[in-house]
Amino acid sequence: MSQIASSPPPSLGVNGLRISAGDNVLVPGLSLTIGRGEILGMVGASGSGKTISAFSLARLLPEALTQTGEISLEGERIDLLSEAQMRKVRGGRIGMVFQDPLSSFNPLRTVGSILVESICRHQGLPASQARELAIETLATMRLPGRTASVDAYPHMLSGGQRQRAMIGLALVNQPALIIADEPTTALDPTIQLQILALLRHQASSAACLFITHDIGAASAICDRLAVMNEGVIVEEGPTDQLLSSPVHPFTRELLSHAPGGARFR
């Protein structure tokens, strides 16, 4: 009798994620999946629960918040890991792209030294090889000069260059999951499009959760959209389908306020 091969688990699986601040429930029960090479855009207004949901996946919530529920990465329950084990996951199997790289990078260290430390920690390479990989990664991120960027301090780079460096840091260890939290908010429109195109290309071998309040930016990069309101995903579906035929009133409201309408790919 022939055996039917089972489908591989999604890169990210979330089931019944609940986030609370004391008796105040912020996210009552989030469930979603993201496959390898797929970008899921989580869109919604400020305060809708997008960022705390994303940060909870890497166990980065403030101590005042508590979370329960199942979080699986490539089939492994990472919500059951100890904090020491999670430190090996963050920066390795999970890459983070934050909204403001200037405050996220250590201003007293060069960009390259931060990448080298991450590579040595998660890949076990000697410092010389890690530096070469850091240089190659920053070159792939379209940063100028073979060694100029790796030896630069964060304040020496422009906003767009810092964001490219942040994406490089998130990707350098070939993570299974990339979490990008409002990565283009502080950039001008031209640089925004460049960063989105770069993230779309570089995320082809990982699952990516793209957090944004800008449904136009999401339409330019995401395969699927999940619309969040007050901690609940009210509508989810393929990007083009959801934008062309929104069902939930909140989705229609978001689209009505999108400047110039959503930008389709």
Side-chain angles (χ1 to χ4, degrees):
M1 181 182 296
S2 60
Q3 294 183 345
I4 300 175
S6 58
S7 300
S11 292
L12 174 69
V14 181
N15 184 31
L17 177 65
R18 180 184 173 94
I19 303 172
S20 303
D23 295 331
N24 185 19
V25 179
L26 306 177
V27 177
L30 176 68
S31 297
L32 57 84
T33 61
I34 310 177
R36 181 176 180 179
E38 181 181 34
I39 299 180
L40 173 66
M42 185 176 287
V43 299
S46 297
S48 61
K50 307 184 303 300
T51 293
I52 61 169
S53 296
F55 276 41
S56 71
L57 303 181
R59 302 250 296 274
L60 289 174
L61 291 179
E63 292 184 0
L65 301 183
T66 58
Q67 68 180 82
T68 58
E70 298 181 6
I71 303 171
S72 298
L73 190 63
E74 296 181 310
E76 179 189 1
R77 287 279 300 276
I78 62 172
D79 60 283
L80 301 177
L81 298 180
S82 67
E83 177 56 27
Q85 291 171 318
M86 276 302 300
R87 283 195 292 268
K88 297 178 181 179
V89 172
R90 300 188 200 104
R93 297 173 65 197
I94 297 178
M96 303 286 294
V97 182
F98 298 103
Q99 180 174 346
D100 182 9
L102 184 59
S103 62
S104 300
F105 281 122
N106 185 334
L108 301 179
R109 298 183 56 186
T110 64
V111 170
S113 70
I114 296 171
L115 266 73
V116 167
E117 179 183 18
S118 180
I119 294 166
C120 292
R121 177 184 301 166
H122 295 289
Q123 298 188 40
L125 295 180
S128 59
Q129 292 184 31
R131 178 178 168 83
E132 285 302 310
L133 179 54
I135 291 172
E136 293 173 8
T137 299
L138 294 177
T140 302
M141 296 300 113
R142 304 174 190 171
L143 286 167
R146 176 163 174 78
T147 59
S149 299
V150 79
D151 292 327
Y153 288 89
H155 72 272
M156 299 168 65
L157 302 177
S158 69
Q161 290 172 338
R162 284 193 296 268
Q163 198 58 277
R164 290 188 182 96
M166 176 65 71
I167 294 173
L169 178 60
L171 295 175
V172 71
N173 295 311
Q174 300 181 331
L177 173 66
I178 302 165
I179 300 174
D181 180 34
E182 301 277 9
T184 62
T185 297
L187 305 176
D188 66 64
T190 300
I191 302 299
Q192 280 187 22
L193 291 175
Q194 293 174 2
I195 295 299
L196 290 174
L198 179 64
L199 187 59
R200 170 79 261 184
H201 176 73
Q202 296 296 329
S204 59
S205 60
C208 180
L209 179 62
F210 182 77
I211 307 296
T212 184
H213 67 275
D214 183 352
I215 202 166
S219 72
I221 188 175
C222 298
D223 302 296
R224 289 187 295 125
L225 295 180
V227 181
M228 178 169 274
N229 185 34
E230 297 183 351
V232 176
I233 293 178
V234 296
E235 186 167 1
E236 181 180 354
T239 299
D240 291 346
Q241 177 182 319
L242 188 145
L243 295 180
S244 61
S245 303
V247 174
H248 196 276
F250 184 74
T251 306
R252 294 197 293 268
E253 181 181 354
L254 278 181
L255 287 172
S256 70
H257 288 94
R263 298 189 301 269
F264 287 87
R265 287 168 286 178

